[in-house]
Amino acid sequence: MYSSKITGLGYYVPENVVTNNDLKQWMDTSDEWIQERTGIKERRWIDPKTEDTTAVMGAKAAKIAIDRAGLTKDDIDFIVFATLSPDMYFPGGGVQIQDLLDMPTIGALDVRNQCSGFIYSLSVADQFIKTGMYKNILVIGSENHSGGLERSTRGRGVTVIFGDGAGAAVLSRSEEKGKGILSSHLHSEGKHAKELALIGPSTNRWVPEIMEDNDPEDVSYFPHMNGQFVFKHAVVRFSEAIIEGLTANGLQKDDIDMLIPHQANLRIAQFIQKKFQLSDDKVYNNIMRYGNTTAASIIIALTEAWEEGKIKDNDLVVLAAFGSGFTWGSVVIKW
Ligand code: ACO
């Protein structure tokens, strides 16, 4: 068995900054409420006049990651692409990346695990590399939330949280024992699917049906979140996933050098930090600047932490996520 390690990281966020005060033009909200409840100060929302889309942002992040890995597009054997906001209902975004980067006709797999999307994608890529099937895999998380959010007071509980952006990693084969991805643990609990979901349009509720009903109260085409219910589950599942990852490797919380939690809410990350008694330099958060970018959040944060020199050789890096599905999981990496 080989091991797999991250050899390149990159991210891209749209230039357009939307502050909490900017949101007041659409809804009854305040900078104070948003910061106090979520920690978010601003987010990036795609300017529709630009070329950016979920796939385009993913391709921009991917180019940086491939370059930093010291590779070219022709060295990549496979693409794993995570998003809940694809450019098209079908096909998925992975094939768009293959085309946008003018890559050879390699396989492209789409992962739909929302905020856990990057954790699931990394785990999938890890299995392909460990078995020897592929040498270099491009793993991408990208989201264009802004186009599909309800910009009104009715939608404010969800809309203020989400931001756009993309991150990418190159996962490569390695023969160094005890380094790279040590473990991944993945979970789901579908009975809570509708607590955080975008119900329609879907095969269960096609557009003609929605139009025929013409019910102004039916906004099932906007995301719905039972915030407090999700919050309560998140703090429990985040902790479980981290403990599961540490235990599987015979490690303790004191062994963690860097925890990158999915950026869902700064209060959730702070709760986890306190629970695991981690100092500020051992947890990386950027939700203040980007909001929740779902499948892109962990990889953007990981890239920034690495760029800032906060992740060094031999560090123990723990990634953990929880989100819609519900889905959750962790990845433990020896850098
Ligand atoms: N501005 C001002 N007031 C608001 C806003 C807003 N943006 N949003 C809601 N409110 C109001 C509500 O209407 C409510 O008013 P009321 O008491 O008069 O009815 C009050 O504030 C409290 O609302 P809650 O929804 O109870 O607020 P809460 O403290 O729970 O915070 C939040 C909401 C931030 C969404 C929080 O519940 C949360 O972070 N939940 C978890 C999110 C998460 O982890 N998601 C998973 C990942 S996302 C994914 O997978 C796609």
Side-chain angles (χ1 to χ4, degrees):
M1 287 266 268
Y2 297 103
S3 45
S4 55
K5 67 172 186 183
I6 292 175
T7 51
L9 290 165
Y11 77 93
Y12 171 84
V13 288
E15 273 178 30
N16 183 37
V17 176
V18 178
T19 66
N20 292 342
N21 281 328
D22 290 337
L23 294 172
K24 290 201 266 188
Q25 64 187 291
W26 297 294
M27 62 195 76
D28 179 13
T29 190
S30 66
D31 179 46
E32 192 191 4
W33 190 98
I34 299 170
Q35 284 210 50
E36 193 187 302
R37 306 281 178 129
T38 70
I40 299 166
K41 294 182 179 174
E42 59 187 42
R43 73 285 294 137
R44 304 297 179 96
W45 279 3
I46 289 174
D47 177 346
K49 292 193 284 294
T50 65
E51 58 159 5
D52 284 338
T53 68
T54 297
V56 168
M57 292 192 299
K60 287 178 179 175
K63 265 188 192 162
I64 299 167
I66 294 170
D67 199 40
R68 284 176 171 170
L71 300 174
T72 72
K73 63 183 176 62
D74 297 330
D75 298 313
I76 302 296
D77 303 313
F78 194 62
I79 300 163
V80 186
F81 187 85
T83 189
L84 66 65
S85 51
D87 292 359
M88 292 181 267
Y89 194 92
F90 73 85
V95 299
Q96 290 177 276
I97 300 293
Q98 182 273 335
D99 179 45
L100 284 165
L101 297 186
D102 191 25
M103 294 170 119
T105 56
I106 56 171
L109 175 75
D110 291 280
V111 166
R112 293 199 43 181
N113 286 81
Q114 301 69 247
C115 293
S116 310
F118 189 73
I119 296 284
Y120 269 74
S121 300
L122 211 50
S123 179
V124 168
D126 182 40
Q127 313 313 315
F128 278 124
I129 292 198
K130 281 194 173 134
T131 56
M133 183 156 172
Y134 295 127
K135 262 189 180 170
N136 298 301
I137 301 182
L138 187 55
V139 185
I140 303 167
S142 182
E143 303 287 1
N144 167 5
H145 288 307
S146 59
L149 296 168
E150 187 180 17
R151 297 186 192 190
S152 73
T153 298
R154 181 173 56 185
R156 66 185 176 177
V158 174
T159 303
V160 302
I161 296 170
F162 291 99
D164 303 335
V170 175
L171 199 66
S172 302
R173 180 188 291 179
S174 159
E175 303 201 13
E176 265 185 284
K177 293 272 168 263
K179 286 189 88 172
I181 295 187
L182 303 184
S183 66
S184 56
H185 290 90
L186 310 174
H187 295 278
S188 71
E189 196 176 29
K191 72 177 175 187
H192 300 311
K194 290 188 176 169
E195 303 295 345
L196 175 46
L198 196 157
I199 308 286
S202 66
T203 51
N204 201 27
R205 191 156 166 69
W206 287 110
V207 173
E209 199 184 322
I210 298 172
M211 288 173 73
E212 199 180 301
D213 286 355
N214 197 21
D215 175 1
E217 294 305 313
D218 178 4
V219 285
S220 55
Y221 43 82
F222 287 128
H224 158 78
M225 175 163 69
N226 183 353
Q228 292 196 6
F229 186 86
V230 176
F231 193 104
K232 283 178 195 152
H233 282 256
V235 288
V236 174
R237 297 308 193 184
F238 260 110
S239 305
E240 286 177 2
I242 295 166
I243 292 168
E244 189 177 25
L246 290 174
T247 308
N249 294 292
L251 298 165
Q252 315 286 328
K253 60 180 170 47
D254 296 342
D255 295 314
I256 298 175
D257 293 302
M258 178 56 76
L259 171 66
I260 313 255
H262 161 55
Q263 302 291 290
N265 184 322
L266 191 61
R267 307 295 159 240
I268 296 176
Q270 287 169 337
F271 177 91
I272 304 300
Q273 176 174 354
K274 205 168 159 201
K275 181 166 176 160
F276 287 86
Q277 296 168 301
L278 299 171
S279 53
D280 287 351
D281 59 326
K282 293 191 170 182
V283 184
Y284 193 87
N285 290 305
N286 59 11
I287 192 169
M288 306 72 92
R289 288 177 281 122
Y290 303 132
N292 179 348
T293 57
T294 308
S297 105
I298 289 183
I299 179 61
I300 295 175
L302 180 65
T303 306
E304 283 196 340
W306 173 80
E307 284 176 354
E308 290 169 25
K310 293 181 174 161
I311 298 176
K312 297 173 288 302
D313 199 28
N314 277 317
D315 275 357
L316 190 81
V317 180
V318 177
L319 315 178
F322 174 87
S324 162
F326 293 153
T327 58
W328 65 97
S330 66
V331 170
V332 177
I333 305 169
K334 188 78 170 171
W335 205 262

